[in-house]
Amino acid sequence: MLIPPDVPLSPRAFDFLSNLVYERSRIRLGPDRQSLVASRLRQRLQSLGLADYEEYCRLLSTPGSDDEIDSLIDLISTNHTHFFREPAHFDLLTRHVLPRLARGSQSNLRPLRFWTAAASSGEEAYSLAIVLGEFCRSHPWLAWHLDASDISQRMLVRCRQGIYEEEKVSLPHPEWRERWFQRGIGDREGFLRVKAELRRHVSVHWVNLFQDTYPVARGQDVIFCRNVMIYFDAPSRALLVERLTDMLAPGGCLFVGHSESLIGIRHDLVALWPSVYTRRE
């Protein structure tokens, strides 16, 4: 059964869907998102053989619908990303944060821990991994591990693969492409894959940032949670900052997006640079 493109998403159905999404993910869908939600769900309704959005709402209301609710959130989540987005953050890491961590690691036996908490399809995670790989060329004693997480299962599949169109792998230094990627051949020509020596440092997890516990170790040295809080309301942002602060090691750094701020949020962090904060030691 094909749902016609002119079948409307009624205000009542949109209210149900937006409230459900907020309840499960804290993503706030304003009225201006109604047409976006309709377009993103249309193909899903067709694949389920449903006639309209009201029928989909009834499906989501039935017991045992958790997997479909996860699919709903996956479909409506925004996943815009690219390699070395907001490059000033990676420069700060290289020039200031990583040298400090390297000095401290000489008396610390554990690996350095990094977490990209909204990794999407992996470009941010592998950008950070490349920076760490480059830094460790001159600091070979350093051990490190990177956790990459997202709420979108679709994006995490791509993150685990680490395969990207060659034209989209734009890096600050051309030689990094040869050093950290392998070229595809045959039906993979025109694609690049992150080399295994870098991928082995990265663990990929499904994470809802508001779930009870995280599959990520406490004591993170650096957390990237960039350009995700803009989708949450003020109480949700405050709760998330509190939880991420608790995941940081003393002296660890939280990076948020350049368009984001902790102004108006009570927290125990100290501002280091614009959009970069540290937990008090």
Side-chain angles (χ1 to χ4, degrees), residues 151-171:
I151 199 170
S152 171
Q153 293 283 13
R154 290 179 299 118
M155 293 298 105
L156 290 177
V157 169
R158 296 178 57 190
C159 184
R160 289 188 181 95
Q161 293 172 337
I163 299 173
Y164 305 95
E165 296 175 51
E166 185 172 355
E167 63 186 23
K168 294 183 179 179
V169 181
S170 179
L171 308 178

PDB file of all heavy atoms in Angstrom, residues 151-171:
ATOM      1  N   ILE A 151      22.261   8.305  18.746  1.00  0.00           N
ATOM      2  CA  ILE A 151      20.931   7.731  18.935  1.00  0.00           C
ATOM      3  C   ILE A 151      20.402   7.110  17.650  1.00  0.00           C
ATOM      4  O   ILE A 151      19.402   6.390  17.665  1.00  0.00           O
ATOM      5  CB  ILE A 151      19.952   8.810  19.450  1.00  0.00           C
ATOM      6  CG1 ILE A 151      18.720   8.156  20.093  1.00  0.00           C
ATOM      7  CG2 ILE A 151      19.578   9.799  18.349  1.00  0.00           C
ATOM      8  CD1 ILE A 151      17.826   9.138  20.837  1.00  0.00           C
ATOM      9  N   SER A 152      21.073   7.357  16.525  1.00  0.00           N
ATOM     10  CA  SER A 152      20.625   6.856  15.227  1.00  0.00           C
ATOM     11  C   SER A 152      21.360   5.578  14.856  1.00  0.00           C
ATOM     12  O   SER A 152      22.570   5.590  14.611  1.00  0.00           O
ATOM     13  CB  SER A 152      20.852   7.910  14.136  1.00  0.00           C
ATOM     14  OG  SER A 152      20.624   7.352  12.857  1.00  0.00           O
ATOM     15  N   GLN A 153      20.622   4.468  14.801  1.00  0.00           N
ATOM     16  CA  GLN A 153      21.228   3.206  14.394  1.00  0.00           C
ATOM     17  C   GLN A 153      21.721   3.279  12.955  1.00  0.00           C
ATOM     18  O   GLN A 153      22.753   2.691  12.600  1.00  0.00           O
ATOM     19  CB  GLN A 153      20.208   2.064  14.545  1.00  0.00           C
ATOM     20  CG  GLN A 153      19.815   1.745  15.977  1.00  0.00           C
ATOM     21  CD  GLN A 153      20.876   0.942  16.725  1.00  0.00           C
ATOM     22  OE1 GLN A 153      22.014   0.811  16.284  1.00  0.00           O
ATOM     23  NE2 GLN A 153      20.499   0.393  17.870  1.00  0.00           N
ATOM     24  N   ARG A 154      20.979   3.996  12.092  1.00  0.00           N
ATOM     25  CA  ARG A 154      21.397   4.122  10.688  1.00  0.00           C
ATOM     26  C   ARG A 154      22.774   4.758  10.591  1.00  0.00           C
ATOM     27  O   ARG A 154      23.638   4.309   9.826  1.00  0.00           O
ATOM     28  CB  ARG A 154      20.406   4.997   9.912  1.00  0.00           C
ATOM     29  CG  ARG A 154      19.043   4.395   9.672  1.00  0.00           C
ATOM     30  CD  ARG A 154      18.158   5.369   8.907  1.00  0.00           C
ATOM     31  NE  ARG A 154      17.947   6.611   9.646  1.00  0.00           N
ATOM     32  CZ  ARG A 154      18.329   7.815   9.223  1.00  0.00           C
ATOM     33  NH1 ARG A 154      18.934   7.953   8.060  1.00  0.00           N
ATOM     34  NH2 ARG A 154      18.079   8.893   9.953  1.00  0.00           N
ATOM     35  N   MET A 155      22.992   5.823  11.358  1.00  0.00           N
ATOM     36  CA  MET A 155      24.268   6.506  11.303  1.00  0.00           C
ATOM     37  C   MET A 155      25.388   5.667  11.916  1.00  0.00           C
ATOM     38  O   MET A 155      26.529   5.700  11.444  1.00  0.00           O
ATOM     39  CB  MET A 155      24.163   7.850  12.030  1.00  0.00           C
ATOM     40  CG  MET A 155      23.250   8.854  11.362  1.00  0.00           C
ATOM     41  SD  MET A 155      23.784   9.325   9.687  1.00  0.00           S
ATOM     42  CE  MET A 155      22.588   8.404   8.676  1.00  0.00           C
ATOM     43  N   LEU A 156      25.071   4.891  12.929  1.00  0.00           N
ATOM     44  CA  LEU A 156      26.096   4.094  13.584  1.00  0.00           C
ATOM     45  C   LEU A 156      26.612   2.979  12.685  1.00  0.00           C
ATOM     46  O   LEU A 156      27.777   2.567  12.799  1.00  0.00           O
ATOM     47  CB  LEU A 156      25.560   3.515  14.894  1.00  0.00           C
ATOM     48  CG  LEU A 156      25.326   4.538  16.010  1.00  0.00           C
ATOM     49  CD1 LEU A 156      24.729   3.867  17.232  1.00  0.00           C
ATOM     50  CD2 LEU A 156      26.620   5.260  16.388  1.00  0.00           C
ATOM     51  N   VAL A 157      25.771   2.489  11.789  1.00  0.00           N
ATOM     52  CA  VAL A 157      26.246   1.503  10.809  1.00  0.00           C
ATOM     53  C   VAL A 157      27.380   2.101   9.986  1.00  0.00           C
ATOM     54  O   VAL A 157      28.431   1.482   9.776  1.00  0.00           O
ATOM     55  CB  VAL A 157      25.092   1.045   9.903  1.00  0.00           C
ATOM     56  CG1 VAL A 157      25.620   0.228   8.718  1.00  0.00           C
ATOM     57  CG2 VAL A 157      24.088   0.214  10.693  1.00  0.00           C
ATOM     58  N   ARG A 158      27.194   3.326   9.527  1.00  0.00           N
ATOM     59  CA  ARG A 158      28.227   4.006   8.737  1.00  0.00           C
ATOM     60  C   ARG A 158      29.453   4.315   9.593  1.00  0.00           C
ATOM     61  O   ARG A 158      30.588   4.228   9.125  1.00  0.00           O
ATOM     62  CB  ARG A 158      27.653   5.277   8.128  1.00  0.00           C
ATOM     63  CG  ARG A 158      26.539   5.025   7.121  1.00  0.00           C
ATOM     64  CD  ARG A 158      25.973   6.321   6.581  1.00  0.00           C
ATOM     65  NE  ARG A 158      27.005   7.143   5.970  1.00  0.00           N
ATOM     66  CZ  ARG A 158      26.829   8.403   5.587  1.00  0.00           C
ATOM     67  NH1 ARG A 158      25.648   8.993   5.794  1.00  0.00           N
ATOM     68  NH2 ARG A 158      27.813   9.075   5.030  1.00  0.00           N
ATOM     69  N   CYS A 159      29.211   4.662  10.850  1.00  0.00           N
ATOM     70  CA  CYS A 159      30.335   4.957  11.749  1.00  0.00           C
ATOM     71  C   CYS A 159      31.195   3.713  11.952  1.00  0.00           C
ATOM     72  O   CYS A 159      32.430   3.795  11.925  1.00  0.00           O
ATOM     73  CB  CYS A 159      29.792   5.475  13.078  1.00  0.00           C
ATOM     74  SG  CYS A 159      31.052   6.007  14.258  1.00  0.00           S
ATOM     75  N   ARG A 160      30.579   2.570  12.141  1.00  0.00           N
ATOM     76  CA  ARG A 160      31.339   1.334  12.333  1.00  0.00           C
ATOM     77  C   ARG A 160      32.141   0.987  11.082  1.00  0.00           C
ATOM     78  O   ARG A 160      33.266   0.505  11.169  1.00  0.00           O
ATOM     79  CB  ARG A 160      30.399   0.184  12.692  1.00  0.00           C
ATOM     80  CG  ARG A 160      29.795   0.285  14.083  1.00  0.00           C
ATOM     81  CD  ARG A 160      29.024  -0.973  14.450  1.00  0.00           C
ATOM     82  NE  ARG A 160      28.439  -0.841  15.780  1.00  0.00           N
ATOM     83  CZ  ARG A 160      27.178  -0.436  16.007  1.00  0.00           C
ATOM     84  NH1 ARG A 160      26.398  -0.141  14.982  1.00  0.00           N
ATOM     85  NH2 ARG A 160      26.730  -0.329  17.245  1.00  0.00           N
ATOM     86  N   GLN A 161      31.561   1.214   9.915  1.00  0.00           N
ATOM     87  CA  GLN A 161      32.249   0.890   8.667  1.00  0.00           C
ATOM     88  C   GLN A 161      33.432   1.816   8.427  1.00  0.00           C
ATOM     89  O   GLN A 161      34.476   1.378   7.939  1.00  0.00           O
ATOM     90  CB  GLN A 161      31.275   0.985   7.491  1.00  0.00           C
ATOM     91  CG  GLN A 161      30.192  -0.070   7.503  1.00  0.00           C
ATOM     92  CD  GLN A 161      29.143   0.173   6.430  1.00  0.00           C
ATOM     93  OE1 GLN A 161      28.960   1.300   5.961  1.00  0.00           O
ATOM     94  NE2 GLN A 161      28.455  -0.884   6.027  1.00  0.00           N
ATOM     95  N   GLY A 162      33.259   3.094   8.737  1.00  0.00           N
ATOM     96  CA  GLY A 162      34.334   4.054   8.502  1.00  0.00           C
ATOM     97  C   GLY A 162      34.642   4.246   7.026  1.00  0.00           C
ATOM     98  O   GLY A 162      35.793   4.483   6.661  1.00  0.00           O
ATOM     99  N   ILE A 163      33.617   4.169   6.180  1.00  0.00           N
ATOM    100  CA  ILE A 163      33.781   4.309   4.729  1.00  0.00           C
ATOM    101  C   ILE A 163      33.068   5.578   4.271  1.00  0.00           C
ATOM    102  O   ILE A 163      31.892   5.777   4.589  1.00  0.00           O
ATOM    103  CB  ILE A 163      33.205   3.082   3.987  1.00  0.00           C
ATOM    104  CG1 ILE A 163      33.949   1.813   4.409  1.00  0.00           C
ATOM    105  CG2 ILE A 163      33.297   3.275   2.473  1.00  0.00           C
ATOM    106  CD1 ILE A 163      33.336   0.531   3.865  1.00  0.00           C
ATOM    107  N   TYR A 164      33.789   6.413   3.484  1.00  0.00           N
ATOM    108  CA  TYR A 164      33.251   7.702   3.074  1.00  0.00           C
ATOM    109  C   TYR A 164      33.618   7.998   1.627  1.00  0.00           C
ATOM    110  O   TYR A 164      34.665   7.536   1.132  1.00  0.00           O
ATOM    111  CB  TYR A 164      33.792   8.813   3.992  1.00  0.00           C
ATOM    112  CG  TYR A 164      33.516   8.544   5.449  1.00  0.00           C
ATOM    113  CD1 TYR A 164      34.474   7.928   6.261  1.00  0.00           C
ATOM    114  CD2 TYR A 164      32.272   8.834   6.003  1.00  0.00           C
ATOM    115  CE1 TYR A 164      34.217   7.646   7.589  1.00  0.00           C
ATOM    116  CE2 TYR A 164      32.008   8.554   7.342  1.00  0.00           C
ATOM    117  CZ  TYR A 164      32.971   7.953   8.119  1.00  0.00           C
ATOM    118  OH  TYR A 164      32.700   7.661   9.437  1.00  0.00           O
ATOM    119  N   GLU A 165      32.748   8.756   0.965  1.00  0.00           N
ATOM    120  CA  GLU A 165      33.060   9.195  -0.396  1.00  0.00           C
ATOM    121  C   GLU A 165      34.330  10.044  -0.371  1.00  0.00           C
ATOM    122  O   GLU A 165      34.493  10.914   0.474  1.00  0.00           O
ATOM    123  CB  GLU A 165      31.903   9.997  -0.966  1.00  0.00           C
ATOM    124  CG  GLU A 165      30.625   9.193  -1.141  1.00  0.00           C
ATOM    125  CD  GLU A 165      29.475  10.069  -1.601  1.00  0.00           C
ATOM    126  OE1 GLU A 165      29.661  10.808  -2.588  1.00  0.00           O
ATOM    127  OE2 GLU A 165      28.405  10.010  -0.964  1.00  0.00           O
ATOM    128  N   GLU A 166      35.204   9.766  -1.318  1.00  0.00           N
ATOM    129  CA  GLU A 166      36.507  10.433  -1.334  1.00  0.00           C
ATOM    130  C   GLU A 166      36.373  11.951  -1.351  1.00  0.00           C
ATOM    131  O   GLU A 166      37.113  12.657  -0.653  1.00  0.00           O
ATOM    132  CB  GLU A 166      37.307   9.961  -2.546  1.00  0.00           C
ATOM    133  CG  GLU A 166      38.723  10.492  -2.598  1.00  0.00           C
ATOM    134  CD  GLU A 166      39.547   9.851  -3.688  1.00  0.00           C
ATOM    135  OE1 GLU A 166      39.040   8.922  -4.351  1.00  0.00           O
ATOM    136  OE2 GLU A 166      40.708  10.276  -3.871  1.00  0.00           O
ATOM    137  N   GLU A 167      35.430  12.455  -2.114  1.00  0.00           N
ATOM    138  CA  GLU A 167      35.292  13.905  -2.232  1.00  0.00           C
ATOM    139  C   GLU A 167      34.847  14.565  -0.936  1.00  0.00           C
ATOM    140  O   GLU A 167      34.989  15.781  -0.768  1.00  0.00           O
ATOM    141  CB  GLU A 167      34.298  14.241  -3.347  1.00  0.00           C
ATOM    142  CG  GLU A 167      32.891  13.729  -3.089  1.00  0.00           C
ATOM    143  CD  GLU A 167      31.965  13.956  -4.269  1.00  0.00           C
ATOM    144  OE1 GLU A 167      32.466  14.094  -5.388  1.00  0.00           O
ATOM    145  OE2 GLU A 167      30.740  13.996  -4.042  1.00  0.00           O
ATOM    146  N   LYS A 168      34.299  13.767   0.003  1.00  0.00           N
ATOM    147  CA  LYS A 168      33.828  14.323   1.268  1.00  0.00           C
ATOM    148  C   LYS A 168      34.866  14.217   2.386  1.00  0.00           C
ATOM    149  O   LYS A 168      34.624  14.699   3.490  1.00  0.00           O
ATOM    150  CB  LYS A 168      32.531  13.644   1.686  1.00  0.00           C
ATOM    151  CG  LYS A 168      31.373  13.935   0.734  1.00  0.00           C
ATOM    152  CD  LYS A 168      30.081  13.314   1.192  1.00  0.00           C
ATOM    153  CE  LYS A 168      28.940  13.655   0.233  1.00  0.00           C
ATOM    154  NZ  LYS A 168      27.652  13.046   0.643  1.00  0.00           N
ATOM    155  N   VAL A 169      35.984  13.585   2.096  1.00  0.00           N
ATOM    156  CA  VAL A 169      37.039  13.462   3.109  1.00  0.00           C
ATOM    157  C   VAL A 169      37.984  14.643   2.933  1.00  0.00           C
ATOM    158  O   VAL A 169      39.039  14.557   2.297  1.00  0.00           O
ATOM    159  CB  VAL A 169      37.783  12.124   2.996  1.00  0.00           C
ATOM    160  CG1 VAL A 169      38.853  12.007   4.087  1.00  0.00           C
ATOM    161  CG2 VAL A 169      36.795  10.958   3.109  1.00  0.00           C
ATOM    162  N   SER A 170      37.578  15.780   3.486  1.00  0.00           N
ATOM    163  CA  SER A 170      38.364  17.014   3.408  1.00  0.00           C
ATOM    164  C   SER A 170      39.120  17.189   4.714  1.00  0.00           C
ATOM    165  O   SER A 170      38.506  17.344   5.779  1.00  0.00           O
ATOM    166  CB  SER A 170      37.443  18.210   3.144  1.00  0.00           C
ATOM    167  OG  SER A 170      38.166  19.414   3.097  1.00  0.00           O
ATOM    168  N   LEU A 171      40.449  17.155   4.644  1.00  0.00           N
ATOM    169  CA  LEU A 171      41.297  17.168   5.832  1.00  0.00           C
ATOM    170  C   LEU A 171      42.211  18.392   5.823  1.00  0.00           C
ATOM    171  O   LEU A 171      42.536  18.928   4.761  1.00  0.00           O
ATOM    172  CB  LEU A 171      42.138  15.893   5.896  1.00  0.00           C
ATOM    173  CG  LEU A 171      41.379  14.564   5.775  1.00  0.00           C
ATOM    174  CD1 LEU A 171      42.359  13.400   5.805  1.00  0.00           C
ATOM    175  CD2 LEU A 171      40.346  14.421   6.875  1.00  0.00           C
TER     176      LEU A 171
END
